[in-house]
Amino acid sequence: MNFANIIFDNPSATDETIALIDQRRSLSFKELRSRVSRLAAGLRRRGVCQGDRIAILINTRIEYVEIYLATAVIGVIAMPLNTRLTAREHVLLMQDGTPKMLVADEKWIASARQARTEIPSLEAIIALDTAESGDLPYEELLAEGNPPVLPLDLKPEDPAVLLYTSGTTSGPKGTILTHRNLISDIDQYQAFVGIKKGSVNLQCSPLYHAANIFTYVHLLAGGTTVFLPEITTNAIFDAIEKYRVNFMFTVPTVLYSILDAPDRQQRDISSLETLEYGAAAIVGPRLESALGILGDRLLHAFGMTEVTSHASMLGKIDHRTHPGSIGRPLPGVQMRIVDDAGEPLEAEEIGELEVKGDNVTPGYWRNPAATEEAFHDGWLATGDLARRDIDGYYYIVGRKKDLIISGGVNIYSADIENVIADHPAIAEVAVFGIPDSHWGESVVAAVALRSGMTLDADELRSFVRERLAGFKVPKEVRIMNVLPRTGTGKLLKRELRVMDENAFIRSVQITNR
């Protein structure tokens, strides 16, 4: 077993088919195999051994995939670093992961050189664009890779990737993803979606994130992936038209920008067969608008770093029959809802969502306490509160740590968010609790308005009060230009709770009890 065999032992990966395209060049499968095998050989000649870590700090480009696959070839662990973090945060992650080498492009090379002075394990900086004394030029490393090497026969449980969580509720943890995890996730996804040979994927998610899996799904299918240097609405439209894109994954905020683009009707997206989104469900007027414009092209994914990428999917037709759902488990994945004692709950009962399958991480890097806390009898506790309907579809109602307890009553943020999202003036909403001397916690909603819209406090109060019990009506609505999110689109409610009032356009107090 070796994850790299998706290009080396794959009859769909025809030699002359274009595998990858970025702003600099394109590579056929034959060229990609050659470069990956030579890079792997070059790393081995430089003393990199099975089990070592190589950190990656570069933007979205072809070399990212080369490194990811080359490390797998020789049993080395790829360690992607989030490019949105600061240099200090990168150092902290590398102190935990102790990489032997760091690959950096021109934008991050200064940070990489600084890190070398603080990371004792770091023996070399591999420079992609600009190399100075002490750096190892990337292309020179490839040139050293002669003879090239083929993928080792590894154990399924051998680590392939060390991927740090985004840390939306706590500090980042190093999630170990094995060769079995990566291969299983791709196979499970393919069993549900069925990416066709020759499909063209527009990779709109950063490659340091678990959503990089779409590139590798398309490599397995013998398809092509296009990388964008910058994710803008116009760049997405241009790429779809130029490359006749069939598939893309994005987050709701980017999807909304596509739907709201003033020139959308003049752009040709007829080639697009599937538009998958994740990070949050789409409901209400936004979903109706998306279905009206795109038809049955939407897929909704639920996943997390700890499940490699995907756990469940809401299919295209399911968007009409089970709106707001995260769908049902993928083939080979088990999901269940449990109470605080870990006992399974019945349909429509709310509890914590747990996942089991070959795509689930074996645990966290050098963190047995976090691993023990996350796993119960082989089940991964996701930290999400959810319910399952009688048809077997799952619905997220909030994060367990985000549960609001007001006046002794449990309040689930998703119930309120789904109602507020139906208001025609609302573009985005996040509901959370803040300390309250009388009630314990008060419900607060942070919202961003749709372009050109205004929000009237009395009208909003009436709108919400007609649809929710009084104790669920937000006591305060904070109006913002945009809600804080991670680089992959997940809301950062912890930032909203402590955000300075200057971050709001205005705050509306609502009397609700």
Side-chain angles (χ1 to χ4, degrees), residues 168-170 302 304 336-343 345 350-354 372-376 379-387 395-405 409-414 417 431-433 441 493 497:
T168 56
T169 57
S170 63
F302 169 77
M304 54 197 299
R336 68 178 186 178
I337 310 292
V338 300
D339 62 18
D340 289 340
E343 294 299 318
L345 296 173
I350 293 174
E352 185 170 9
L353 176 63
E354 295 189 336
E372 183 177 356
E373 181 182 359
F375 284 89
H376 308 279
W379 290 85
L380 170 71
T382 65
D384 287 304
L385 291 171
R387 64 178 177 86
Y395 298 78
I396 300 297
V397 301
R399 290 289 291 170
K400 192 173 183 179
K401 292 182 179 179
D402 288 340
L403 176 67
I404 304 166
I405 304 177
V409 178
N410 289 351
I411 299 174
Y412 303 102
S413 58
E417 289 165 349
V431 171
F432 53 95
E441 285 186 294
K493 291 188 179 181
R497 290 189 185 92

Side-chain angles (χ1 to χ4, degrees), residues 202-224:
L202 184 60
Q203 182 70 39
C204 293
S205 299
L207 293 177
Y208 61 73
H209 182 259
N212 67 9
I213 204 73
F214 302 107
T215 291
Y216 303 105
V217 168
H218 277 76
L219 288 177
L220 180 67
T224 302

Side-chain angles (χ1 to χ4, degrees), residues 241-364:
E241 292 176 339
K242 180 177 180 179
Y243 299 106
R244 306 302 296 162
V245 168
N246 308 121
F247 177 99
M248 65 175 285
F249 170 87
T250 190
V251 294
T253 49
V254 175
L255 174 56
Y256 299 155
S257 72
I258 293 171
L259 299 176
D260 295 342
D263 63 340
R264 174 182 51 77
Q265 291 184 325
Q266 284 72 54
R267 307 306 298 258
D268 180 10
I269 61 171
S270 59
S271 64
L272 191 63
E273 299 171 1
T274 301
L275 197 161
E276 182 178 327
Y277 64 96
I282 300 176
V283 295
R286 277 298 194 183
L287 178 59
E288 294 173 12
S289 173
L291 292 174
I293 293 169
L294 297 171
D296 296 325
R297 297 191 235 183
L298 293 176
L299 288 178
H300 176 39
F302 169 77
M304 54 197 299
T305 307
E306 288 85 346
V307 300
T308 307
S309 183
H310 292 81
S312 68
M313 296 283 294
L314 184 71
K316 296 178 180 180
I317 302 302
D318 293 336
H319 274 76
R320 300 185 185 274
T321 59
H322 295 81
S325 170
I326 60 169
R328 293 185 284 192
L330 289 175
V333 178
Q334 300 177 64
M335 291 167 53
R336 68 178 186 178
I337 310 292
V338 300
D339 62 18
D340 289 340
E343 294 299 318
L345 296 173
E346 300 296 327
E348 300 300 348
E349 293 185 299
I350 293 174
E352 185 170 9
L353 176 63
E354 295 189 336
V355 181
K356 180 188 281 188
D358 284 343
N359 58 322
V360 176
T361 175
Y364 298 107

Side-chain angles (χ1 to χ4, degrees), residues 420 425-436 441-449 455 457 460 474-484 491-510:
I420 296 177
I426 303 299
E428 295 183 274
V429 57
V431 171
F432 53 95
I434 60 172
D436 186 292
E441 285 186 294
S442 291
V443 179
V444 177
V447 301
L449 304 184
L455 187 66
L460 179 65
K475 186 176 182 180
E476 180 184 353
V477 176
R478 299 174 178 177
I479 303 171
M480 307 177 65
N481 286 315
V482 64
L483 303 189
L491 280 166
L492 287 169
K493 291 188 179 181
R494 70 165 186 262
E495 289 191 9
L496 288 169
R497 290 189 185 92
V498 300
M499 195 167 281
D500 185 88
E501 63 182 17
N502 293 328
F504 315 136
I505 299 174
R506 61 190 172 96
S507 178
V508 181
Q509 300 292 325
I510 298 178

Side-chain angles (χ1 to χ4, degrees), residues 51 53 63 80 110-111 115 140 145 149 158 191 232 235 237 245 253 281 301 307 342 365 390 429 440 446 484 502 510:
R53 275 77 60 207
E63 288 88 349
S111 296
E140 180 179 309
V149 296
D158 284 340
T232 66
F237 280 132
V245 168
T253 49
V307 300
W365 179 257
I390 58 173
V429 57
N502 293 328
I510 298 178

Side-chain angles (χ1 to χ4, degrees), residues 416-472:
I416 307 170
E417 289 165 349
N418 289 341
V419 167
I420 296 177
D422 277 340
H423 191 285
I426 303 299
E428 295 183 274
V429 57
V431 171
F432 53 95
I434 60 172
D436 186 292
S437 59
H438 181 71
W439 298 107
E441 285 186 294
S442 291
V443 179
V444 177
V447 301
L449 304 184
R450 300 184 74 167
S451 178
M453 303 295 285
T454 59
L455 187 66
D456 177 83
D458 290 334
E459 192 273 332
L460 179 65
R461 179 178 62 238
S462 298
F463 181 87
V464 176
R465 186 65 183 83
E466 289 172 1
R467 294 161 174 80
L468 292 173
F471 67 88
K472 294 183 180 180

